[in-house]
Amino acid sequence: MVAGSEAEEDLRAFREAVSLVPWHVAKDLISREVCLHCIIRLFGIREPAKGFTSLSPSMFSDIVAELPSTGEGLNGIELGENKDKNDDETNEERHPAPSICSVCFGILQICKVNDAEIPFEKNGVNFLANVIADAVKEEGHEFDSFCVEVSTPPAIPENDLSLLSYINSKYGSESWLQKKPLGNIISLKEALKALVTGPLETKLGVNCSQGTFRIWLTYKEASPLTSCDDKTPVAKRQKTDCNNKNTLVACTTYGLVAENEATEPCVDSGKITMTIPTDGFGNGIAYHESSCLSKSREPCSLSIECYRDAVYFGGRYLKYSRNVSQTCWMIDEERMGVTSVEEIISGCILPFCRGDKSKFHAAGREDIDVRMLGSGRPFLVEIQNARHVPSIMDIKGIEEKINESKSKLVRVKHLKLLGSEAWSLMREGEAEKQKQYAAVVWISRPLEDRDLCTLSSFKDLSIMQKTPIRVLHRRSPLEREKIIHWMKIERISGSSQYFVLHLCTQAGTYIKEFVHGDLGRTNPSIGSILGCRAEILQLDVTDVKMDLF
Amino acid sequence: MDVYCLDHVNFVAQVEHLLPARQNPQTKLKPRRRWRREKTLTRLTTTKRSYAVYWYPNVTDLPPLPPSAVNPISSPNPDFKKPSHHHFIYRHPNGLCVVGYASGHLSDEGGVKGVDFNVRKSDRRDIKVTGKRMKGAMLLRFRENAQQFEADTMLCKISTSVNTYSIRCRVKGSLLEVNEKFVKQPNLLNMSAEREGFIAIIMPKPADWLKVKSKLGGVR
C-alpha cells in the first residue's frame, strides 16, 4: 500500500530527526510540555521534506516512548525516574493526555482550528490544509499562485529564546552543546509554512510562489496571561557579552528586573543574547516562571483570511455633462449634481471584478460645471481584493459598456490593467502638467482687434493668485504664482462682448479667477489686462498634457 | 485636433479647411448629431478622419449681462442716514463674507483720501493667517443690539478731507484677510467699492451668520 509505505517512510524520517536530539534533553523538554515539533526546530533541524502529513500524535507518543532506546548511551543516573522506561508500566511515562505545547501554544500541534477542537487522533496537517482550502474556495478567488503568511502571538519568539537559554543554562557544560552551540532556531512561522505548503499545493492545485494572492493565517492567544506579574509580552533584550558580569537586564515578560551576576554562561547566538537571572540552582528562573500558565492552557485560535493585492485600472475619462461631479459630493446629506464620474466608472468595473471596495484617483480634478473634453484626464481605479482579474477582451468590453451607456455623461479611453507602478506614473509629471482650456468670456465693452493682439502676445505670463474666495473656507490662504503659457481669442460672430478664450496654463491655476479677477486678488487678470470688467460663463478643459495612457 | 464651435456659422468657417476643396461646403456639411439631448458633441467625418465637434451655446442664448461671479447675495442696508448703514456684506454660498462700504455719499466730500488700519491696539494689516484651520485669524466681536454699533470691532478708519468714518465689521467671525490693495490705494473705494474696493474677508460661524442676517435688510 502506498499510503502505508509513505507513512512508514515519514515515520522513519521523523525518527531520524528526533535521534539528532540528545534523548535526555528531549525527555526533559517533553516533561516541560514542549511538543516534538518545537524540540526539533529548536535544534535547527529541518523537518523532513514530506512533513508529517500522515503521522498522528499517537505515533508521536510511540516515538517518545522509544527515546531511551535510541540516542547516546548515557546512563540515566541523573534522571533516575526514567529507569523503568522499558517496563510495562510505561503508561504513565507515555505522553499523557496530550497537553498544549508551552512554546508554540499548540500551533504546530494543530489542535484547534477556527474554534473547533481537533482531537489529537486526527491527521493534523492534512486537516488544517483542508480547512484552509475550503476557506479559500469559499471566497471564490481565481488565482494561479499563492503565498502563505503567518501571524503569531508575540510571546512565541520570546518563548523560543527563553527555552534556548534554559537549555544552555542547564546543559551548558555538556560536550554536545559545546561542540555545536545552538544558534539557528527555525522560527515558528517558517516551520508552519513548511508544514502547510505541501498539502495546500496539492489541495489547491497551484504552486506556492511570491505573487499577488495571499493566504493569511492569524493565530491569537485564547486567553491573556493573567497569572504573570507583568503583562507586556515583549522582553527587552540587550546586547551583552559573556565577559560582562554586571549587566542589567530588563526582562519584562517575567516582571523581573535584576542586577545580574551572570553566573551562567551566556551563549552568543550572533546577534541577540539573553541573560536570565538565576535562582542559585543553575536553572533559569524565567523559564519556570513562564509556566505560570496553568497546565491546561488554551491553544491558540486560528483565523484564515485570503486576499489579493490591489488591482489598478488606468485610462482617461471625458466628462460631457455640466451636472456631474468627479467624486460623490454631498452637502448636508444632499447630493450635488446628478451622479459622479467615480460612480459611473467604478460602478462598471467593481462588479465585474467582484472586489470588495474601489477607490478612484484622478490626475487633478475639475469643477462640477466644467466639461472635460479633448484627450481626457488620466485616472486610476484601485480595486481591493478582486476575485476575478479581467482579461484584455473583458476590459475592452467594460470600456464599451461605459461608452455606450444611455446617458452619455462620461466616456472612457485607453482603459487598461496596471500593476502598482501606476502610482508613480501618475505622480511623476503632476507638477509639470500643462492644461488647456476654452472659456466663454464676457467683457463690459466691445471687443477690439488690438485686444486680440494684446492677449496673443503674452507668452509665459506669470500671475499671482491668492486663494480664491470660493475655496477659501477649506484651503489655506496662500499666494500662488502660476504661469499662463499662451492665450488666444476667438470671436463669436453675432456678439461683440462675448468671445471664446483658449489658454494653456500650469497645473493648479484657477481659471475662473484669472478671468474675473476675484475682487482684485488675482492679478494680472483678463479684466485688468483688457481694462474692463470680465466674467466667465462656461469653462471646458480641452487637454491635459500628460504622457500617460 | 478637435473642433470647437459656437454655432453653425462658425462651424462652417472652422471646418472648411478640413474638407477637400471640391466639395461644396454648404451642402455637404451636415454633422450627424448623436446625442440630441445634450447637443454637446457631434462628429464630423471627412474622407480622412473623424473629428469631434464640441458645441458651445448659441449666441442668442447668451444673456446680455452675465451673472457676476462674486456677489450672489449682497445686502446693503437701505437706510442711508447713519454712516454705519453704508456697510454691505457679500456672502458666498460657502459662508465667507466680504465686507465693503458703499462710498457713494462720500463723493461730495471729495472722496476717500486715506485709510488707516491701525486702530485700537492692533494693526489689522498684520494678521497672518496660516493653514486650513485659519490659525492666527483675529476674532471680531459683534453686539446684537443694533444701537450700540460702536461695540463692533473696528476694522479701519477712512478719512476724507472733511471727516473720518470708522468701518465696523458688522458680522461676528474671524478676520481672514484685509484688502491689501485698498490699504495701498484708498481711492479704490471711490472707483469700485463693490468689487476691488472691498475692505475685508470674514469667516463667520453658521450660527452667528443667522443672527446677523435678520438685522441686515434688503437681501438681494
Side-chain angles (χ1 to χ4, degrees):
Chain A
M1 261 200 347
V2 179
S5 62
E6 272 186 18
E8 283 171 17
E9 221 180 275
D10 286 339
L11 198 59
R12 201 166 29 88
F14 185 51
R15 280 217 185 87
E16 284 176 26
V18 172
S19 61
L20 291 172
V21 179
W23 63 276
H24 59 285
V25 179
K27 292 300 281 182
D28 186 19
L29 291 180
I30 288 169
S31 67
R32 297 209 185 282
E33 294 175 11
V34 181
C35 70
L36 283 175
H37 293 283
C38 287
I39 296 178
I40 287 176
R41 75 179 171 85
L42 209 64
F43 278 79
I45 303 163
R46 298 223 164 256
E47 299 191 9
K50 283 234 168 169
F52 310 113
T53 52
S54 48
L55 291 176
S56 66
S58 59
M59 294 194 220
F60 289 160
S61 320
D62 293 336
I63 295 171
V64 164
E66 287 165 19
L67 269 180
S69 59
T70 64
E72 304 167 22
L74 276 181
N75 48 0
I77 294 179
E78 295 160 8
L79 308 159
E81 65 271 22
N82 293 334
K83 252 191 197 158
D84 50 334
K85 178 98 36 200
N86 295 323
D87 292 347
D88 281 334
E89 53 269 16
T90 49
N91 282 337
E92 74 262 20
E93 262 320 305
R94 282 200 167 218
H95 211 282
S99 66
I100 310 297
C101 171
S102 57
V103 172
C104 69
F105 299 139
I107 292 179
L108 285 176
Q109 291 169 296
I110 308 174
C111 49
K112 185 174 180 187
V113 175
N114 281 350
D115 294 330
E117 294 269 356
I118 312 175
F120 265 41
E121 295 310 312
K122 268 199 164 193
N123 231 329
V125 178
N126 268 343
F127 190 81
L128 180 64
N130 280 340
V131 172
I132 297 179
D134 289 339
V136 168
K137 287 196 178 119
E138 201 179 302
E139 284 283 322
H141 280 92
E142 297 173 12
F143 50 92
D144 51 4
S145 74
F146 68 94
C147 62
V148 179
E149 322 230 345
V150 178
S151 146
T152 53
I156 292 184
E158 321 307 325
N159 285 349
D160 283 350
L161 285 169
S162 71
L163 189 56
L164 187 66
S165 47
Y166 165 74
I167 294 178
N168 289 327
S169 66
K170 187 156 182 186
Y171 301 105
S173 50
E174 296 184 17
S175 56
W176 59 267
L177 191 59
Q178 285 176 354
K179 241 189 305 177
K180 182 186 159 195
L182 291 179
N184 47 343
I185 311 175
I186 296 175
S187 75
L188 177 74
K189 297 186 185 183
E190 279 182 48
L192 187 63
K193 282 188 202 176
L195 264 188
V196 146
T197 306
L200 262 186
E201 278 187 354
T202 30
K203 280 274 171 329
L204 296 173
V206 290
N207 280 333
C208 175
S209 62
Q210 270 303 99
T212 52
F213 182 63
R214 293 172 210 286
I215 303 178
W216 197 281
L217 308 173
T218 311
Y219 284 95
K220 279 216 173 64
E221 284 189 59
S223 55
L225 304 176
T226 47
S227 43
C228 278
D229 292 334
D230 197 348
K231 291 214 182 91
T232 53
V234 175
K236 292 205 191 106
R237 286 170 240 127
Q238 288 177 350
K239 262 191 181 177
T240 62
D241 49 350
C242 294
N243 300 326
N244 192 356
K245 299 287 182 191
N246 291 323
T247 51
L248 182 71
V249 170
C251 196
T252 53
T253 308
Y254 313 113
L256 302 165
V257 176
E259 205 93 39
N260 181 22
E261 294 98 30
T263 53
E264 82 286 352
C266 46
V267 175
D268 207 18
S269 62
K271 285 185 197 168
I272 299 171
T273 66
M274 188 165 169
T275 57
I276 310 279
T278 66
D279 61 352
F281 292 109
N283 294 324
I285 280 188
Y287 191 62
H288 280 163
E289 300 298 337
S290 77
S291 27
C292 57
L293 300 168
S294 56
K295 191 132 176 132
S296 58
R297 66 181 70 87
E298 290 287 315
C300 283
S301 58
L302 166 67
S303 56
I304 303 170
E305 282 141 23
C306 49
Y307 64 89
R308 181 195 294 277
D309 286 349
V311 166
Y312 294 91
F313 289 87
R316 287 194 179 233
Y317 76 85
L318 280 81
K319 178 162 88 90
Y320 293 129
S321 164
R322 292 198 190 273
N323 206 8
V324 169
S325 56
Q326 193 188 60
T327 53
C328 190
W329 186 16
M330 303 287 218
I331 292 188
D332 295 335
E333 304 307 319
E334 203 188 300
R335 180 202 280 279
M336 307 292 290
V338 171
T339 173
S340 67
V341 175
E342 174 187 23
E343 282 165 20
I344 293 178
I345 298 182
S346 309
C348 282
I349 298 183
L350 187 65
F352 198 88
C353 296
R354 285 179 281 139
D356 284 347
K357 253 176 57 168
S358 76
K359 286 191 192 165
F360 183 83
H361 315 275
R365 52 181 191 260
E366 64 271 342
D367 286 344
I368 188 174
D369 57 349
V370 172
R371 290 189 300 185
M372 178 75 227
L373 308 173
S375 52
R377 187 183 293 275
F379 71 93
L380 274 184
V381 176
E382 177 188 337
I383 306 279
Q384 290 173 351
N385 206 6
R387 303 292 192 280
H388 164 67
V389 178
S391 62
I392 298 190
M393 295 308 299
D394 292 335
I395 295 181
K396 280 215 176 75
I398 297 178
E399 188 176 328
E400 275 170 23
K401 183 174 162 205
I402 300 179
N403 291 344
E404 300 298 322
S405 74
K406 263 203 261 181
S407 52
K408 295 282 193 276
L409 299 169
V410 167
R411 189 189 144 106
V412 167
K413 281 157 90 165
H414 311 309
L415 189 64
K416 62 183 184 207
L417 200 58
L418 294 167
S420 44
E421 76 273 5
W423 271 119
S424 47
L425 282 178
M426 283 267 279
R427 299 283 160 239
E428 233 171 42
E430 239 188 2
E432 295 105 40
K433 266 191 308 219
Q434 286 186 12
K435 305 230 197 102
Q436 241 176 280
Y437 300 87
V440 175
V441 175
W442 174 88
I443 48 173
S444 54
R445 61 163 172 79
L447 190 65
E448 290 160 27
D449 284 333
R450 61 185 175 85
D451 296 329
L452 275 87
C453 300
T454 325
L455 282 188
S456 310
S457 67
F458 283 111
K459 291 283 176 251
D460 291 331
L461 170 69
S462 166
I463 65 172
M464 295 299 289
Q465 284 195 310
K466 288 203 183 129
T467 314
I469 295 178
R470 64 186 167 97
V471 296
L472 193 50
H473 65 294
R474 58 178 166 84
R475 293 201 67 185
S476 6
L478 289 175
E479 187 149 5
R480 299 177 179 93
E481 186 183 343
K482 297 290 170 192
I483 299 184
I484 313 283
H485 294 288
W486 51 259
M487 287 189 277
K488 193 174 85 105
I489 290 189
E490 180 191 322
R491 280 183 184 268
I492 298 180
S493 62
S495 171
S496 59
Q497 288 180 282
Y498 280 101
F499 60 91
V500 175
L501 175 70
H502 297 273
L503 63 161
C504 176
T505 69
Q506 193 186 2
T509 320
Y510 289 95
I511 303 296
K512 294 181 183 169
E513 274 67 28
F514 172 62
V515 171
H516 63 64
D518 194 28
L519 293 183
R521 295 167 78 242
T522 295
N523 65 298
S525 69
I526 296 284
S528 66
I529 294 174
L530 297 181
C532 56
R533 189 178 137 196
E535 300 288 346
I536 184 170
L537 271 90
Q538 277 184 7
L539 183 59
D540 293 329
V541 187
T542 55
D543 198 9
V544 174
K545 290 191 168 82
M546 217 170 148
D547 280 335
L548 202 56
F549 312 136
Chain B
M1 186 217 73
D2 293 326
V3 181
Y4 300 93
C5 292
L6 288 153
D7 50 33
H8 209 261
V9 176
N10 258 352
F11 174 72
V12 170
Q14 290 243 6
V15 303
E16 257 176 341
H17 68 283
L18 293 174
L19 300 173
R22 279 184 293 163
Q23 287 179 0
N24 185 351
Q26 295 301 326
T27 52
K28 278 289 179 179
L29 286 174
K30 284 226 173 102
R32 291 176 289 126
R33 283 174 200 260
R34 264 200 205 165
W35 303 295
R36 286 178 190 265
R37 205 168 13 127
E38 287 277 340
K39 284 195 187 173
T40 53
L41 179 70
T42 64
R43 292 211 89 86
L44 164 70
T45 307
T46 65
T47 47
K48 287 198 186 149
R49 63 162 272 193
S50 175
Y51 299 89
V53 178
Y54 299 106
W55 294 94
Y56 285 114
N58 221 340
V59 167
T60 49
D61 293 340
L62 296 171
L65 194 69
S68 174
V70 182
N71 50 342
I73 300 175
S74 69
S75 49
N77 204 315
D79 183 359
F80 284 102
K81 291 196 199 122
K82 282 192 183 175
S84 68
H85 289 212
H86 293 227
H87 297 74
F88 60 79
I89 300 177
Y90 291 148
R91 184 171 186 265
H92 196 275
N94 65 12
L96 294 178
C97 294
V98 178
V99 175
Y101 192 77
S103 64
H105 71 290
L106 297 177
S107 56
D108 49 345
E109 294 183 19
V112 175
K113 288 284 187 303
V115 66
D116 183 16
F117 273 90
N118 196 352
V119 292
R120 300 267 173 94
K121 298 180 209 170
S122 62
D123 195 342
R124 304 297 185 248
R125 286 169 295 178
D126 287 343
I127 51 161
K128 286 264 180 306
V129 181
T130 51
K132 276 192 198 173
R133 306 282 168 229
M134 311 298 172
K135 274 198 316 200
M138 183 182 145
L139 285 174
L140 305 169
R141 265 185 319 133
F142 180 75
R143 292 282 169 79
E144 287 200 18
N145 192 345
Q147 295 302 317
Q148 298 179 2
F149 74 94
E150 282 94 1
D152 287 355
T153 314
M154 198 190 312
L155 287 177
C156 70
K157 290 197 169 96
I158 54 173
S159 51
T160 62
S161 41
V162 180
N163 259 330
T164 308
Y165 299 91
S166 61
I167 314 258
R168 304 257 162 201
C169 63
R170 305 304 297 155
V171 64
K172 182 180 171 192
S174 350
L175 178 64
L176 293 185
E177 193 180 312
V178 156
N179 190 1
E180 286 173 4
K181 278 192 168 178
F182 177 55
V183 172
K184 291 175 196 155
Q185 300 170 298
N187 57 349
L188 267 180
L189 204 54
N190 300 330
M191 298 184 325
S192 64
E194 293 198 348
R195 302 188 57 80
E196 272 91 8
F198 74 97
I199 311 272
I201 303 181
I202 296 173
M203 181 162 77
K205 294 211 180 107
D208 296 332
W209 167 252
L210 291 173
K211 287 185 212 159
V212 172
K213 206 162 112 165
S214 47
K215 293 280 186 304
L216 302 165
V219 174
R220 256 195 275 146

